[in-house]
Amino acid sequence: MFVMLTVYMHPSCTSCRKTKKWLCANNIEFRERHLFRETPTYEELLHLLSLTTEGIDEILATRSQSFKQLVENVEEWPLSKVVELLVKEPRLLRRPIVTDGKRLVVGYNPSALKNIAKKYRRACVS
């Protein structure tokens, strides 16, 4: 599913820009996916959730305006309904989301990025 490091991000997001800058500064090869133009599919979100340690809470942006505007209490919904909502409303996802398909980093976290990105370092060309 993921053959290289994938970063789900949005250009105006400060944490996303910091993550991208860190990856570039450390010569890490990655695929950038615009979170709102290339929204993760239902299956991709299920896979990302399987990589979390805290479940939906790890990737749900509960402090976002989009979340605060929800009328219903999403935390009481079945997982399938929450994932469907995230596909329709990707603004509800925390960002950036960085994955190699086996591990996950949510938000800007240089020490976690260092662990996940080791094998994606570009070879220096002389």
Side-chain angles (χ1 to χ4, degrees), residues 7 10 13-15 21 28-29 32 34 46 48 61 67 70 87 90 94 100 110 113 118 120 126:
V7 182
H10 188 269
C13 165
T14 304
S15 295
K21 184 177 179 180
I28 306 300
E29 191 172 357
E32 183 177 336
H34 190 293
L46 283 178
L48 292 172
F67 185 82
L70 290 174
V87 170
R94 286 185 60 204
D100 63 356
L113 286 171
K118 287 176 188 171
Y120 299 96
S126 43

PDB file of all heavy atoms in Angstrom, residues 7 10 13-15 21 28-29 32 34 46 48 61 67 70 87 90 94 100 110 113 118 120 126:
ATOM      1  N   VAL A   7       3.218  11.775   3.330  1.00  0.00           N
ATOM      2  CA  VAL A   7       2.880  12.852   4.251  1.00  0.00           C
ATOM      3  C   VAL A   7       1.573  13.477   3.792  1.00  0.00           C
ATOM      4  O   VAL A   7       1.499  14.081   2.723  1.00  0.00           O
ATOM      5  CB  VAL A   7       3.990  13.927   4.305  1.00  0.00           C
ATOM      6  CG1 VAL A   7       3.629  15.010   5.314  1.00  0.00           C
ATOM      7  CG2 VAL A   7       5.337  13.307   4.639  1.00  0.00           C
ATOM      8  N   HIS A  10      -1.431  19.946   4.559  1.00  0.00           N
ATOM      9  CA  HIS A  10      -2.088  21.088   3.939  1.00  0.00           C
ATOM     10  C   HIS A  10      -1.096  22.244   3.965  1.00  0.00           C
ATOM     11  O   HIS A  10      -0.499  22.511   5.011  1.00  0.00           O
ATOM     12  CB  HIS A  10      -3.375  21.446   4.693  1.00  0.00           C
ATOM     13  CG  HIS A  10      -4.172  22.491   3.988  1.00  0.00           C
ATOM     14  ND1 HIS A  10      -4.021  23.825   4.232  1.00  0.00           N
ATOM     15  CD2 HIS A  10      -5.098  22.389   3.005  1.00  0.00           C
ATOM     16  CE1 HIS A  10      -4.831  24.511   3.444  1.00  0.00           C
ATOM     17  NE2 HIS A  10      -5.494  23.661   2.694  1.00  0.00           N
ATOM     18  N   CYS A  13      -0.923  24.854   6.849  1.00  0.00           N
ATOM     19  CA  CYS A  13      -0.762  24.323   8.206  1.00  0.00           C
ATOM     20  C   CYS A  13       0.691  24.502   8.668  1.00  0.00           C
ATOM     21  O   CYS A  13       1.622  24.027   8.015  1.00  0.00           O
ATOM     22  CB  CYS A  13      -1.156  22.846   8.198  1.00  0.00           C
ATOM     23  SG  CYS A  13      -0.638  21.915   9.624  1.00  0.00           S
ATOM     24  N   THR A  14       0.885  25.190   9.785  1.00  0.00           N
ATOM     25  CA  THR A  14       2.222  25.449  10.318  1.00  0.00           C
ATOM     26  C   THR A  14       2.967  24.158  10.638  1.00  0.00           C
ATOM     27  O   THR A  14       4.142  24.010  10.286  1.00  0.00           O
ATOM     28  CB  THR A  14       2.133  26.334  11.581  1.00  0.00           C
ATOM     29  OG1 THR A  14       1.429  27.527  11.245  1.00  0.00           O
ATOM     30  CG2 THR A  14       3.498  26.692  12.103  1.00  0.00           C
ATOM     31  N   SER A  15       2.314  23.215  11.289  1.00  0.00           N
ATOM     32  CA  SER A  15       2.954  21.935  11.623  1.00  0.00           C
ATOM     33  C   SER A  15       3.350  21.171  10.362  1.00  0.00           C
ATOM     34  O   SER A  15       4.384  20.510  10.329  1.00  0.00           O
ATOM     35  CB  SER A  15       2.031  21.074  12.479  1.00  0.00           C
ATOM     36  OG  SER A  15       1.813  21.683  13.719  1.00  0.00           O
ATOM     37  N   LYS A  21       9.734  20.919   6.051  1.00  0.00           N
ATOM     38  CA  LYS A  21      11.059  21.538   6.153  1.00  0.00           C
ATOM     39  C   LYS A  21      12.046  20.577   6.819  1.00  0.00           C
ATOM     40  O   LYS A  21      13.180  20.423   6.367  1.00  0.00           O
ATOM     41  CB  LYS A  21      10.960  22.844   6.949  1.00  0.00           C
ATOM     42  CG  LYS A  21      12.249  23.609   7.028  1.00  0.00           C
ATOM     43  CD  LYS A  21      12.056  24.928   7.772  1.00  0.00           C
ATOM     44  CE  LYS A  21      13.369  25.682   7.867  1.00  0.00           C
ATOM     45  NZ  LYS A  21      13.199  26.951   8.578  1.00  0.00           N
ATOM     46  N   ILE A  28      15.197  13.495   3.390  1.00  0.00           N
ATOM     47  CA  ILE A  28      14.279  12.363   3.441  1.00  0.00           C
ATOM     48  C   ILE A  28      13.358  12.415   2.223  1.00  0.00           C
ATOM     49  O   ILE A  28      12.708  13.423   1.964  1.00  0.00           O
ATOM     50  CB  ILE A  28      13.435  12.379   4.738  1.00  0.00           C
ATOM     51  CG1 ILE A  28      14.317  12.448   5.980  1.00  0.00           C
ATOM     52  CG2 ILE A  28      12.485  11.195   4.772  1.00  0.00           C
ATOM     53  CD1 ILE A  28      15.294  11.312   6.152  1.00  0.00           C
ATOM     54  N   GLU A  29      13.300  11.317   1.509  1.00  0.00           N
ATOM     55  CA  GLU A  29      12.427  11.221   0.347  1.00  0.00           C
ATOM     56  C   GLU A  29      11.010  10.908   0.832  1.00  0.00           C
ATOM     57  O   GLU A  29      10.813  10.012   1.645  1.00  0.00           O
ATOM     58  CB  GLU A  29      12.932  10.122  -0.578  1.00  0.00           C
ATOM     59  CG  GLU A  29      12.262  10.111  -1.918  1.00  0.00           C
ATOM     60  CD  GLU A  29      12.914   9.128  -2.883  1.00  0.00           C
ATOM     61  OE1 GLU A  29      13.926   8.496  -2.516  1.00  0.00           O
ATOM     62  OE2 GLU A  29      12.381   8.998  -3.989  1.00  0.00           O
ATOM     63  N   GLU A  32       4.218  13.709  -0.965  1.00  0.00           N
ATOM     64  CA  GLU A  32       3.319  14.665  -0.324  1.00  0.00           C
ATOM     65  C   GLU A  32       1.914  14.496  -0.893  1.00  0.00           C
ATOM     66  O   GLU A  32       1.735  14.421  -2.101  1.00  0.00           O
ATOM     67  CB  GLU A  32       3.828  16.079  -0.612  1.00  0.00           C
ATOM     68  CG  GLU A  32       3.047  17.170   0.036  1.00  0.00           C
ATOM     69  CD  GLU A  32       3.652  18.540  -0.226  1.00  0.00           C
ATOM     70  OE1 GLU A  32       4.869  18.651  -0.498  1.00  0.00           O
ATOM     71  OE2 GLU A  32       2.896  19.514  -0.161  1.00  0.00           O
ATOM     72  N   HIS A  34      -1.836  16.293  -0.617  1.00  0.00           N
ATOM     73  CA  HIS A  34      -2.658  17.404  -0.146  1.00  0.00           C
ATOM     74  C   HIS A  34      -3.904  16.799   0.494  1.00  0.00           C
ATOM     75  O   HIS A  34      -4.684  16.117  -0.169  1.00  0.00           O
ATOM     76  CB  HIS A  34      -3.032  18.289  -1.330  1.00  0.00           C
ATOM     77  CG  HIS A  34      -3.659  19.582  -0.949  1.00  0.00           C
ATOM     78  ND1 HIS A  34      -4.900  19.671  -0.361  1.00  0.00           N
ATOM     79  CD2 HIS A  34      -3.203  20.850  -1.069  1.00  0.00           C
ATOM     80  CE1 HIS A  34      -5.193  20.950  -0.153  1.00  0.00           C
ATOM     81  NE2 HIS A  34      -4.170  21.679  -0.574  1.00  0.00           N
ATOM     82  N   LEU A  46      -8.772   3.466   7.503  1.00  0.00           N
ATOM     83  CA  LEU A  46      -8.814   2.287   8.370  1.00  0.00           C
ATOM     84  C   LEU A  46      -7.401   1.779   8.645  1.00  0.00           C
ATOM     85  O   LEU A  46      -7.067   1.409   9.775  1.00  0.00           O
ATOM     86  CB  LEU A  46      -9.664   1.174   7.755  1.00  0.00           C
ATOM     87  CG  LEU A  46     -11.170   1.345   7.835  1.00  0.00           C
ATOM     88  CD1 LEU A  46     -11.873   0.176   7.145  1.00  0.00           C
ATOM     89  CD2 LEU A  46     -11.646   1.479   9.275  1.00  0.00           C
ATOM     90  N   LEU A  48      -4.589   3.594   8.512  1.00  0.00           N
ATOM     91  CA  LEU A  48      -3.936   4.574   9.391  1.00  0.00           C
ATOM     92  C   LEU A  48      -4.390   4.376  10.836  1.00  0.00           C
ATOM     93  O   LEU A  48      -3.577   4.422  11.762  1.00  0.00           O
ATOM     94  CB  LEU A  48      -4.227   6.005   8.923  1.00  0.00           C
ATOM     95  CG  LEU A  48      -3.606   6.422   7.595  1.00  0.00           C
ATOM     96  CD1 LEU A  48      -4.124   7.786   7.166  1.00  0.00           C
ATOM     97  CD2 LEU A  48      -2.086   6.410   7.670  1.00  0.00           C
ATOM     98  N   ALA A  61      -9.030  15.827  14.859  1.00  0.00           N
ATOM     99  CA  ALA A  61      -8.683  17.194  15.269  1.00  0.00           C
ATOM    100  C   ALA A  61      -9.807  17.780  16.118  1.00  0.00           C
ATOM    101  O   ALA A  61     -10.618  18.572  15.644  1.00  0.00           O
ATOM    102  CB  ALA A  61      -8.423  18.058  14.046  1.00  0.00           C
ATOM    103  N   PHE A  67     -14.561  20.502  13.899  1.00  0.00           N
ATOM    104  CA  PHE A  67     -15.019  19.582  14.937  1.00  0.00           C
ATOM    105  C   PHE A  67     -15.993  20.291  15.883  1.00  0.00           C
ATOM    106  O   PHE A  67     -17.031  19.737  16.245  1.00  0.00           O
ATOM    107  CB  PHE A  67     -13.841  19.010  15.729  1.00  0.00           C
ATOM    108  CG  PHE A  67     -14.248  17.975  16.737  1.00  0.00           C
ATOM    109  CD1 PHE A  67     -14.451  16.661  16.344  1.00  0.00           C
ATOM    110  CD2 PHE A  67     -14.434  18.310  18.076  1.00  0.00           C
ATOM    111  CE1 PHE A  67     -14.845  15.701  17.272  1.00  0.00           C
ATOM    112  CE2 PHE A  67     -14.823  17.357  18.997  1.00  0.00           C
ATOM    113  CZ  PHE A  67     -15.029  16.051  18.596  1.00  0.00           C
ATOM    114  N   LEU A  70     -19.592  20.519  14.757  1.00  0.00           N
ATOM    115  CA  LEU A  70     -20.424  19.319  14.661  1.00  0.00           C
ATOM    116  C   LEU A  70     -21.523  19.366  15.721  1.00  0.00           C
ATOM    117  O   LEU A  70     -21.269  19.687  16.879  1.00  0.00           O
ATOM    118  CB  LEU A  70     -19.585  18.055  14.866  1.00  0.00           C
ATOM    119  CG  LEU A  70     -18.605  17.700  13.759  1.00  0.00           C
ATOM    120  CD1 LEU A  70     -17.746  16.520  14.176  1.00  0.00           C
ATOM    121  CD2 LEU A  70     -19.340  17.381  12.467  1.00  0.00           C
ATOM    122  N   VAL A  87     -13.650  10.932   5.612  1.00  0.00           N
ATOM    123  CA  VAL A  87     -13.449  10.942   4.163  1.00  0.00           C
ATOM    124  C   VAL A  87     -14.149  12.161   3.561  1.00  0.00           C
ATOM    125  O   VAL A  87     -13.601  12.844   2.691  1.00  0.00           O
ATOM    126  CB  VAL A  87     -13.967   9.634   3.514  1.00  0.00           C
ATOM    127  CG1 VAL A  87     -13.976   9.745   1.989  1.00  0.00           C
ATOM    128  CG2 VAL A  87     -13.119   8.448   3.958  1.00  0.00           C
ATOM    129  N   PRO A  90     -12.201  16.024   5.522  1.00  0.00           N
ATOM    130  CA  PRO A  90     -10.809  15.804   5.932  1.00  0.00           C
ATOM    131  C   PRO A  90     -10.267  16.891   6.864  1.00  0.00           C
ATOM    132  O   PRO A  90      -9.244  16.692   7.506  1.00  0.00           O
ATOM    133  CB  PRO A  90     -10.054  15.757   4.601  1.00  0.00           C
ATOM    134  CG  PRO A  90     -10.931  16.459   3.630  1.00  0.00           C
ATOM    135  CD  PRO A  90     -12.332  16.217   4.087  1.00  0.00           C
ATOM    136  N   ARG A  94      -6.247  15.517  12.162  1.00  0.00           N
ATOM    137  CA  ARG A  94      -5.053  16.219  12.622  1.00  0.00           C
ATOM    138  C   ARG A  94      -4.023  16.154  11.519  1.00  0.00           C
ATOM    139  O   ARG A  94      -4.022  15.234  10.718  1.00  0.00           O
ATOM    140  CB  ARG A  94      -4.494  15.559  13.888  1.00  0.00           C
ATOM    141  CG  ARG A  94      -5.348  15.862  15.106  1.00  0.00           C
ATOM    142  CD  ARG A  94      -4.752  15.317  16.367  1.00  0.00           C
ATOM    143  NE  ARG A  94      -3.429  15.893  16.590  1.00  0.00           N
ATOM    144  CZ  ARG A  94      -2.484  15.314  17.317  1.00  0.00           C
ATOM    145  NH1 ARG A  94      -2.690  14.136  17.877  1.00  0.00           N
ATOM    146  NH2 ARG A  94      -1.318  15.893  17.479  1.00  0.00           N
ATOM    147  N   ASP A 100       4.738   5.275   6.890  1.00  0.00           N
ATOM    148  CA  ASP A 100       5.462   4.417   5.946  1.00  0.00           C
ATOM    149  C   ASP A 100       4.659   3.140   5.717  1.00  0.00           C
ATOM    150  O   ASP A 100       5.129   2.193   5.123  1.00  0.00           O
ATOM    151  CB  ASP A 100       6.867   4.099   6.450  1.00  0.00           C
ATOM    152  CG  ASP A 100       6.882   3.303   7.745  1.00  0.00           C
ATOM    153  OD1 ASP A 100       5.806   3.040   8.324  1.00  0.00           O
ATOM    154  OD2 ASP A 100       7.983   2.948   8.191  1.00  0.00           O
ATOM    155  N   PRO A 110       9.796  15.947  15.659  1.00  0.00           N
ATOM    156  CA  PRO A 110      11.093  15.604  15.068  1.00  0.00           C
ATOM    157  C   PRO A 110      11.682  14.273  15.543  1.00  0.00           C
ATOM    158  O   PRO A 110      12.248  13.526  14.728  1.00  0.00           O
ATOM    159  CB  PRO A 110      11.990  16.775  15.469  1.00  0.00           C
ATOM    160  CG  PRO A 110      11.054  17.906  15.693  1.00  0.00           C
ATOM    161  CD  PRO A 110       9.799  17.287  16.229  1.00  0.00           C
ATOM    162  N   LEU A 113       9.792  11.581  13.821  1.00  0.00           N
ATOM    163  CA  LEU A 113      10.122  11.625  12.397  1.00  0.00           C
ATOM    164  C   LEU A 113      11.470  10.968  12.148  1.00  0.00           C
ATOM    165  O   LEU A 113      11.650  10.247  11.163  1.00  0.00           O
ATOM    166  CB  LEU A 113      10.155  13.075  11.891  1.00  0.00           C
ATOM    167  CG  LEU A 113       8.804  13.752  11.721  1.00  0.00           C
ATOM    168  CD1 LEU A 113       8.988  15.234  11.425  1.00  0.00           C
ATOM    169  CD2 LEU A 113       7.976  13.083  10.648  1.00  0.00           C
ATOM    170  N   LYS A 118      14.329   6.993   8.806  1.00  0.00           N
ATOM    171  CA  LYS A 118      15.697   6.499   8.606  1.00  0.00           C
ATOM    172  C   LYS A 118      15.945   5.880   7.232  1.00  0.00           C
ATOM    173  O   LYS A 118      16.897   6.212   6.560  1.00  0.00           O
ATOM    174  CB  LYS A 118      16.068   5.481   9.683  1.00  0.00           C
ATOM    175  CG  LYS A 118      16.311   6.083  11.026  1.00  0.00           C
ATOM    176  CD  LYS A 118      16.582   4.986  12.050  1.00  0.00           C
ATOM    177  CE  LYS A 118      16.630   5.584  13.441  1.00  0.00           C
ATOM    178  NZ  LYS A 118      16.675   4.559  14.456  1.00  0.00           N
ATOM    179  N   TYR A 120      14.442   6.237   4.489  1.00  0.00           N
ATOM    180  CA  TYR A 120      14.021   7.036   3.340  1.00  0.00           C
ATOM    181  C   TYR A 120      14.998   8.161   3.010  1.00  0.00           C
ATOM    182  O   TYR A 120      14.698   9.018   2.190  1.00  0.00           O
ATOM    183  CB  TYR A 120      12.612   7.607   3.572  1.00  0.00           C
ATOM    184  CG  TYR A 120      11.605   6.509   3.739  1.00  0.00           C
ATOM    185  CD1 TYR A 120      11.217   6.072   4.999  1.00  0.00           C
ATOM    186  CD2 TYR A 120      11.093   5.856   2.619  1.00  0.00           C
ATOM    187  CE1 TYR A 120      10.326   5.028   5.144  1.00  0.00           C
ATOM    188  CE2 TYR A 120      10.195   4.807   2.764  1.00  0.00           C
ATOM    189  CZ  TYR A 120       9.818   4.401   4.028  1.00  0.00           C
ATOM    190  OH  TYR A 120       8.943   3.361   4.163  1.00  0.00           O
ATOM    191  N   SER A 126      27.445  12.865  -5.663  1.00  0.00           N
ATOM    192  CA  SER A 126      28.656  13.686  -5.698  1.00  0.00           C
ATOM    193  C   SER A 126      29.027  14.071  -7.102  1.00  0.00           C
ATOM    194  O   SER A 126      28.578  13.584  -8.072  1.00  0.00           O
ATOM    195  CB  SER A 126      29.818  12.980  -5.035  1.00  0.00           C
ATOM    196  OG  SER A 126      29.875  11.630  -5.391  1.00  0.00           O
TER     197      SER A 126
END
